[in-house]
Structure formats: C-alpha cells, structure tokens
Amino acid sequence: MSGPPCDEVWVERQIQEGLLDEFPPMGVGRRVPEEYFTRFQDVFPWSFLYVWRRFGFEGFGEGRFWITDPLQWQPVVDTWLDGVEIPFEDQRWYCVARTAMGSMSLWGEKSGPALEVMPILGRLYPSFGAAKSMSNPVERDRSGCLVFASPEIDDFIDVPTGEDLVDVVVGRLGAVSADEVFGFVPAFFFTGRMEAQLATIENAEAHLIFLAETGRVEVMPDLIAENWEYLGAFLAEHDSAGDFRE
C-alpha cells in the first residue's frame, strides 16, 4: 500500500486534523485499565491502543463523540446482535466508540471496524471494505487510529427548525456523560418524529437495550460492496481519461 507509514507522527496528525480540531476533548476521560492492553493486544492494532493510552475513555465535542469501554458496553452490543444475521463470519464484536445519541462503532475480532449500529433508526450498517482491509497489515494499523480520527457523528436534523438535532439538544440539555445518551421519549420508531423537543438524557445501557428489545433491527445493504464492480469500472474509465487529475 502506498503512502506514509503508520507511525506515531502519522497517528498524531490524523487525530489532530480528524478529531481534535473540530471536537476538543472534554477532559473527563477515565484511564484505560492496564490489563486491557494485554487482553486486547491481539484484537486491536497498535495505533488503536496508542489512542487508548493517549486519551483514555474520553468524550469529545461536548459529548458528541466518545471512546468507549468495550467491556462496559458489551451488554448493549450483545443485545443488538442477538439473533441478527450479519454478513460476517462468527466472532465477538466490541463497541469502541459511540455518539451522543448512541450510534455505535463496532470492532470485530476478525473483521475489524466493519459494523455500525444506529439505534435511533434500528439499523446495522456492515462494511465489507473495512473487513477486507484487515488482511493488509498497513491498512489494519491505520484503521485502529482512523476509527477515532474519522468519527461517526450524529447527523440528524431537527425537523421543526431545520437545524442540527444534537446541536439543539446540547444547547437545551447540556452534554451527555460517559454513561448517558440523548434519547427520544417516546422512541422515534413509535412516533416518527425527529424533534429536539422530544429528546431527553437517558441512561445509555438501559435506553439502548430498550430500543433493541422493543423496536425492529434491520441490517442494511453495503451499497458500495454491492456496486463495486460498476464503481471500479467507472473510476478506471474516468481515471484513464484524466478526469481525476489536476
């Protein structure tokens, strides 16, 4: 794979440009227990563990993004995946990061950062590209950093105002803590109303498990993977024609 090596300088640059410049740390991070580094040394690449040691289980951007304790969040993950057929080989999945509204970035022991869970909508999003990249050592090393440096952020819109939903809710309720999420009451799947006025601060584990057990869980198609042959031919054709060159 071309490009610079995945060293500490590269990781620090990605974290600064992709995360810290937009979402400053809250300064409330809990230190990662030392035994975690031994337990997960064969699950997560070194760049991932580097971020753990650098920040701990920290929140960023007034709670819009959190590095999560995978063991603490295991009951939530297990509930969301229970009985659901996902298009990967059998493995354990860990929640490694999450948003203010509880969307979770999952890392599989074999497939890496290949699954996103969006509880508000009851959807799971697999990424075959992310799973495939785990066979490339350099890409795997980089992915451990990029799961934090390219954070999944809630992009819901408050329908009555047209403004960013989380911005409105943070302005009204303040930031969520490490064990809290913003949730709609009643839940969105009951009302279909994406309105900031319905949002409250909820216990993260209890609320997300409630959504998994009460609503419908849907595995969404990976559109890039399904259309890769077409996209590859399209990119090759236009690249040969010089369309992507300066």
PDB file of all heavy atoms in Angstrom, residues 144-169:
ATOM      1  N   GLY A 144      -6.941   1.316  13.074  1.00  0.00           N
ATOM      2  CA  GLY A 144      -7.019   1.454  14.519  1.00  0.00           C
ATOM      3  C   GLY A 144      -7.037   2.898  14.968  1.00  0.00           C
ATOM      4  O   GLY A 144      -7.679   3.247  15.960  1.00  0.00           O
ATOM      5  N   CYS A 145      -6.363   3.749  14.240  1.00  0.00           N
ATOM      6  CA  CYS A 145      -6.379   5.183  14.511  1.00  0.00           C
ATOM      7  C   CYS A 145      -7.598   5.850  13.888  1.00  0.00           C
ATOM      8  O   CYS A 145      -8.267   6.674  14.508  1.00  0.00           O
ATOM      9  CB  CYS A 145      -5.097   5.809  13.983  1.00  0.00           C
ATOM     10  SG  CYS A 145      -5.170   7.589  13.680  1.00  0.00           S
ATOM     11  N   LEU A 146      -7.922   5.463  12.647  1.00  0.00           N
ATOM     12  CA  LEU A 146      -8.964   6.163  11.899  1.00  0.00           C
ATOM     13  C   LEU A 146     -10.358   5.952  12.457  1.00  0.00           C
ATOM     14  O   LEU A 146     -11.255   6.759  12.203  1.00  0.00           O
ATOM     15  CB  LEU A 146      -8.907   5.742  10.426  1.00  0.00           C
ATOM     16  CG  LEU A 146      -7.633   6.161   9.686  1.00  0.00           C
ATOM     17  CD1 LEU A 146      -7.643   5.639   8.254  1.00  0.00           C
ATOM     18  CD2 LEU A 146      -7.480   7.686   9.687  1.00  0.00           C
ATOM     19  N   VAL A 147     -10.564   4.876  13.194  1.00  0.00           N
ATOM     20  CA  VAL A 147     -11.877   4.693  13.811  1.00  0.00           C
ATOM     21  C   VAL A 147     -12.172   5.836  14.782  1.00  0.00           C
ATOM     22  O   VAL A 147     -13.339   6.155  15.051  1.00  0.00           O
ATOM     23  CB  VAL A 147     -11.954   3.321  14.530  1.00  0.00           C
ATOM     24  CG1 VAL A 147     -11.114   3.299  15.785  1.00  0.00           C
ATOM     25  CG2 VAL A 147     -13.395   2.936  14.837  1.00  0.00           C
ATOM     26  N   PHE A 148     -11.119   6.493  15.274  1.00  0.00           N
ATOM     27  CA  PHE A 148     -11.271   7.661  16.137  1.00  0.00           C
ATOM     28  C   PHE A 148     -11.051   8.970  15.372  1.00  0.00           C
ATOM     29  O   PHE A 148     -11.700   9.972  15.666  1.00  0.00           O
ATOM     30  CB  PHE A 148     -10.287   7.586  17.298  1.00  0.00           C
ATOM     31  CG  PHE A 148     -10.377   6.322  18.090  1.00  0.00           C
ATOM     32  CD1 PHE A 148      -9.299   5.451  18.175  1.00  0.00           C
ATOM     33  CD2 PHE A 148     -11.546   5.987  18.755  1.00  0.00           C
ATOM     34  CE1 PHE A 148      -9.378   4.277  18.912  1.00  0.00           C
ATOM     35  CE2 PHE A 148     -11.644   4.812  19.491  1.00  0.00           C
ATOM     36  CZ  PHE A 148     -10.552   3.948  19.565  1.00  0.00           C
ATOM     37  N   ALA A 149     -10.143   8.963  14.420  1.00  0.00           N
ATOM     38  CA  ALA A 149      -9.803  10.188  13.690  1.00  0.00           C
ATOM     39  C   ALA A 149     -10.819  10.519  12.604  1.00  0.00           C
ATOM     40  O   ALA A 149     -10.828  11.633  12.091  1.00  0.00           O
ATOM     41  CB  ALA A 149      -8.409  10.068  13.071  1.00  0.00           C
ATOM     42  N   SER A 150     -11.659   9.559  12.229  1.00  0.00           N
ATOM     43  CA  SER A 150     -12.758   9.811  11.292  1.00  0.00           C
ATOM     44  C   SER A 150     -14.053   9.415  12.000  1.00  0.00           C
ATOM     45  O   SER A 150     -14.710   8.437  11.633  1.00  0.00           O
ATOM     46  CB  SER A 150     -12.572   8.999  10.007  1.00  0.00           C
ATOM     47  OG  SER A 150     -11.366   9.329   9.356  1.00  0.00           O
ATOM     48  N   PRO A 151     -14.423  10.155  13.036  1.00  0.00           N
ATOM     49  CA  PRO A 151     -15.506   9.701  13.919  1.00  0.00           C
ATOM     50  C   PRO A 151     -16.876   9.725  13.257  1.00  0.00           C
ATOM     51  O   PRO A 151     -17.178  10.608  12.442  1.00  0.00           O
ATOM     52  CB  PRO A 151     -15.444  10.703  15.071  1.00  0.00           C
ATOM     53  CG  PRO A 151     -14.878  11.954  14.467  1.00  0.00           C
ATOM     54  CD  PRO A 151     -13.872  11.462  13.457  1.00  0.00           C
ATOM     55  N   GLU A 152     -17.676   8.719  13.615  1.00  0.00           N
ATOM     56  CA  GLU A 152     -19.080   8.714  13.222  1.00  0.00           C
ATOM     57  C   GLU A 152     -19.809   9.712  14.125  1.00  0.00           C
ATOM     58  O   GLU A 152     -19.750   9.612  15.347  1.00  0.00           O
ATOM     59  CB  GLU A 152     -19.683   7.322  13.386  1.00  0.00           C
ATOM     60  CG  GLU A 152     -19.119   6.286  12.421  1.00  0.00           C
ATOM     61  CD  GLU A 152     -19.533   6.547  10.987  1.00  0.00           C
ATOM     62  OE1 GLU A 152     -20.628   7.107  10.769  1.00  0.00           O
ATOM     63  OE2 GLU A 152     -18.757   6.193  10.085  1.00  0.00           O
ATOM     64  N   ILE A 153     -20.484  10.673  13.505  1.00  0.00           N
ATOM     65  CA  ILE A 153     -21.178  11.714  14.258  1.00  0.00           C
ATOM     66  C   ILE A 153     -22.654  11.712  13.869  1.00  0.00           C
ATOM     67  O   ILE A 153     -22.998  11.527  12.702  1.00  0.00           O
ATOM     68  CB  ILE A 153     -20.554  13.093  13.974  1.00  0.00           C
ATOM     69  CG1 ILE A 153     -19.083  13.123  14.409  1.00  0.00           C
ATOM     70  CG2 ILE A 153     -21.325  14.198  14.687  1.00  0.00           C
ATOM     71  CD1 ILE A 153     -18.852  12.916  15.887  1.00  0.00           C
ATOM     72  N   ASP A 154     -23.526  11.945  14.832  1.00  0.00           N
ATOM     73  CA  ASP A 154     -24.954  12.039  14.534  1.00  0.00           C
ATOM     74  C   ASP A 154     -25.204  13.174  13.540  1.00  0.00           C
ATOM     75  O   ASP A 154     -24.725  14.301  13.738  1.00  0.00           O
ATOM     76  CB  ASP A 154     -25.738  12.320  15.816  1.00  0.00           C
ATOM     77  CG  ASP A 154     -25.604  11.210  16.841  1.00  0.00           C
ATOM     78  OD1 ASP A 154     -25.803  10.042  16.468  1.00  0.00           O
ATOM     79  OD2 ASP A 154     -25.298  11.516  18.013  1.00  0.00           O
ATOM     80  N   ASP A 155     -25.964  12.872  12.487  1.00  0.00           N
ATOM     81  CA  ASP A 155     -26.268  13.918  11.511  1.00  0.00           C
ATOM     82  C   ASP A 155     -27.778  14.075  11.316  1.00  0.00           C
ATOM     83  O   ASP A 155     -28.250  14.405  10.234  1.00  0.00           O
ATOM     84  CB  ASP A 155     -25.575  13.631  10.171  1.00  0.00           C
ATOM     85  CG  ASP A 155     -25.983  12.295   9.573  1.00  0.00           C
ATOM     86  OD1 ASP A 155     -26.781  11.568  10.200  1.00  0.00           O
ATOM     87  OD2 ASP A 155     -25.511  11.975   8.463  1.00  0.00           O
ATOM     88  N   PHE A 156     -28.517  13.853  12.383  1.00  0.00           N
ATOM     89  CA  PHE A 156     -29.965  14.016  12.330  1.00  0.00           C
ATOM     90  C   PHE A 156     -30.333  15.507  12.320  1.00  0.00           C
ATOM     91  O   PHE A 156     -29.632  16.338  12.897  1.00  0.00           O
ATOM     92  CB  PHE A 156     -30.629  13.341  13.534  1.00  0.00           C
ATOM     93  CG  PHE A 156     -30.310  11.883  13.651  1.00  0.00           C
ATOM     94  CD1 PHE A 156     -29.546  11.402  14.714  1.00  0.00           C
ATOM     95  CD2 PHE A 156     -30.758  10.979  12.705  1.00  0.00           C
ATOM     96  CE1 PHE A 156     -29.241  10.057  14.825  1.00  0.00           C
ATOM     97  CE2 PHE A 156     -30.460   9.621  12.812  1.00  0.00           C
ATOM     98  CZ  PHE A 156     -29.707   9.163  13.869  1.00  0.00           C
ATOM     99  N   ILE A 157     -31.450  15.809  11.682  1.00  0.00           N
ATOM    100  CA  ILE A 157     -31.943  17.181  11.599  1.00  0.00           C
ATOM    101  C   ILE A 157     -33.202  17.334  12.443  1.00  0.00           C
ATOM    102  O   ILE A 157     -34.104  16.491  12.401  1.00  0.00           O
ATOM    103  CB  ILE A 157     -32.245  17.568  10.132  1.00  0.00           C
ATOM    104  CG1 ILE A 157     -30.972  17.497   9.286  1.00  0.00           C
ATOM    105  CG2 ILE A 157     -32.857  18.970  10.055  1.00  0.00           C
ATOM    106  CD1 ILE A 157     -29.866  18.436   9.728  1.00  0.00           C
ATOM    107  N   ASP A 158     -33.254  18.400  13.212  1.00  0.00           N
ATOM    108  CA  ASP A 158     -34.454  18.742  13.966  1.00  0.00           C
ATOM    109  C   ASP A 158     -35.480  19.278  12.973  1.00  0.00           C
ATOM    110  O   ASP A 158     -35.337  20.388  12.456  1.00  0.00           O
ATOM    111  CB  ASP A 158     -34.120  19.793  15.025  1.00  0.00           C
ATOM    112  CG  ASP A 158     -35.334  20.257  15.803  1.00  0.00           C
ATOM    113  OD1 ASP A 158     -36.224  19.423  16.074  1.00  0.00           O
ATOM    114  OD2 ASP A 158     -35.418  21.467  16.120  1.00  0.00           O
ATOM    115  N   VAL A 159     -36.496  18.484  12.682  1.00  0.00           N
ATOM    116  CA  VAL A 159     -37.428  18.805  11.607  1.00  0.00           C
ATOM    117  C   VAL A 159     -38.109  20.170  11.786  1.00  0.00           C
ATOM    118  O   VAL A 159     -38.196  20.946  10.821  1.00  0.00           O
ATOM    119  CB  VAL A 159     -38.476  17.682  11.446  1.00  0.00           C
ATOM    120  CG1 VAL A 159     -39.554  18.082  10.444  1.00  0.00           C
ATOM    121  CG2 VAL A 159     -37.799  16.383  11.002  1.00  0.00           C
ATOM    122  N   PRO A 160     -38.578  20.539  12.973  1.00  0.00           N
ATOM    123  CA  PRO A 160     -39.264  21.832  13.095  1.00  0.00           C
ATOM    124  C   PRO A 160     -38.385  23.036  12.768  1.00  0.00           C
ATOM    125  O   PRO A 160     -38.874  24.045  12.242  1.00  0.00           O
ATOM    126  CB  PRO A 160     -39.700  21.860  14.565  1.00  0.00           C
ATOM    127  CG  PRO A 160     -39.821  20.427  14.953  1.00  0.00           C
ATOM    128  CD  PRO A 160     -38.683  19.750  14.221  1.00  0.00           C
ATOM    129  N   THR A 161     -37.070  22.947  13.079  1.00  0.00           N
ATOM    130  CA  THR A 161     -36.200  24.108  12.889  1.00  0.00           C
ATOM    131  C   THR A 161     -35.261  23.978  11.695  1.00  0.00           C
ATOM    132  O   THR A 161     -34.729  24.979  11.212  1.00  0.00           O
ATOM    133  CB  THR A 161     -35.340  24.352  14.142  1.00  0.00           C
ATOM    134  OG1 THR A 161     -34.439  23.234  14.316  1.00  0.00           O
ATOM    135  CG2 THR A 161     -36.218  24.491  15.381  1.00  0.00           C
ATOM    136  N   GLY A 162     -35.028  22.743  11.240  1.00  0.00           N
ATOM    137  CA  GLY A 162     -34.073  22.532  10.164  1.00  0.00           C
ATOM    138  C   GLY A 162     -32.636  22.589  10.631  1.00  0.00           C
ATOM    139  O   GLY A 162     -31.705  22.536   9.829  1.00  0.00           O
ATOM    140  N   GLU A 163     -32.410  22.659  11.940  1.00  0.00           N
ATOM    141  CA  GLU A 163     -31.062  22.750  12.489  1.00  0.00           C
ATOM    142  C   GLU A 163     -30.546  21.366  12.877  1.00  0.00           C
ATOM    143  O   GLU A 163     -31.305  20.397  12.959  1.00  0.00           O
ATOM    144  CB  GLU A 163     -31.061  23.677  13.709  1.00  0.00           C
ATOM    145  CG  GLU A 163     -31.470  25.104  13.398  1.00  0.00           C
ATOM    146  CD  GLU A 163     -31.479  25.980  14.637  1.00  0.00           C
ATOM    147  OE1 GLU A 163     -31.001  25.518  15.698  1.00  0.00           O
ATOM    148  OE2 GLU A 163     -31.963  27.120  14.556  1.00  0.00           O
ATOM    149  N   ASP A 164     -29.233  21.293  13.100  1.00  0.00           N
ATOM    150  CA  ASP A 164     -28.638  20.042  13.557  1.00  0.00           C
ATOM    151  C   ASP A 164     -29.271  19.646  14.877  1.00  0.00           C
ATOM    152  O   ASP A 164     -29.298  20.426  15.838  1.00  0.00           O
ATOM    153  CB  ASP A 164     -27.130  20.213  13.716  1.00  0.00           C
ATOM    154  CG  ASP A 164     -26.446  18.928  14.167  1.00  0.00           C
ATOM    155  OD1 ASP A 164     -26.379  18.698  15.392  1.00  0.00           O
ATOM    156  OD2 ASP A 164     -26.000  18.168  13.305  1.00  0.00           O
ATOM    157  N   LEU A 165     -29.792  18.423  14.934  1.00  0.00           N
ATOM    158  CA  LEU A 165     -30.555  17.975  16.094  1.00  0.00           C
ATOM    159  C   LEU A 165     -29.712  17.988  17.366  1.00  0.00           C
ATOM    160  O   LEU A 165     -30.148  18.504  18.416  1.00  0.00           O
ATOM    161  CB  LEU A 165     -31.096  16.570  15.839  1.00  0.00           C
ATOM    162  CG  LEU A 165     -31.915  15.949  16.967  1.00  0.00           C
ATOM    163  CD1 LEU A 165     -33.285  16.600  17.036  1.00  0.00           C
ATOM    164  CD2 LEU A 165     -32.056  14.453  16.781  1.00  0.00           C
ATOM    165  N   VAL A 166     -28.507  17.413  17.297  1.00  0.00           N
ATOM    166  CA  VAL A 166     -27.686  17.332  18.504  1.00  0.00           C
ATOM    167  C   VAL A 166     -27.270  18.715  18.976  1.00  0.00           C
ATOM    168  O   VAL A 166     -27.217  18.973  20.185  1.00  0.00           O
ATOM    169  CB  VAL A 166     -26.461  16.422  18.268  1.00  0.00           C
ATOM    170  CG1 VAL A 166     -25.515  16.462  19.457  1.00  0.00           C
ATOM    171  CG2 VAL A 166     -26.907  14.986  18.019  1.00  0.00           C
ATOM    172  N   ASP A 167     -26.993  19.636  18.047  1.00  0.00           N
ATOM    173  CA  ASP A 167     -26.656  20.998  18.459  1.00  0.00           C
ATOM    174  C   ASP A 167     -27.786  21.613  19.272  1.00  0.00           C
ATOM    175  O   ASP A 167     -27.561  22.261  20.305  1.00  0.00           O
ATOM    176  CB  ASP A 167     -26.375  21.872  17.232  1.00  0.00           C
ATOM    177  CG  ASP A 167     -25.042  21.578  16.578  1.00  0.00           C
ATOM    178  OD1 ASP A 167     -24.233  20.847  17.183  1.00  0.00           O
ATOM    179  OD2 ASP A 167     -24.810  22.058  15.449  1.00  0.00           O
ATOM    180  N   VAL A 168     -29.013  21.404  18.808  1.00  0.00           N
ATOM    181  CA  VAL A 168     -30.170  21.962  19.511  1.00  0.00           C
ATOM    182  C   VAL A 168     -30.318  21.316  20.888  1.00  0.00           C
ATOM    183  O   VAL A 168     -30.549  22.003  21.897  1.00  0.00           O
ATOM    184  CB  VAL A 168     -31.459  21.763  18.690  1.00  0.00           C
ATOM    185  CG1 VAL A 168     -32.675  22.266  19.468  1.00  0.00           C
ATOM    186  CG2 VAL A 168     -31.364  22.485  17.351  1.00  0.00           C
ATOM    187  N   VAL A 169     -30.150  19.990  20.937  1.00  0.00           N
ATOM    188  CA  VAL A 169     -30.342  19.283  22.205  1.00  0.00           C
ATOM    189  C   VAL A 169     -29.232  19.622  23.204  1.00  0.00           C
ATOM    190  O   VAL A 169     -29.495  19.823  24.395  1.00  0.00           O
ATOM    191  CB  VAL A 169     -30.412  17.766  21.971  1.00  0.00           C
ATOM    192  CG1 VAL A 169     -30.561  17.036  23.299  1.00  0.00           C
ATOM    193  CG2 VAL A 169     -31.585  17.420  21.065  1.00  0.00           C
TER     194      VAL A 169
END
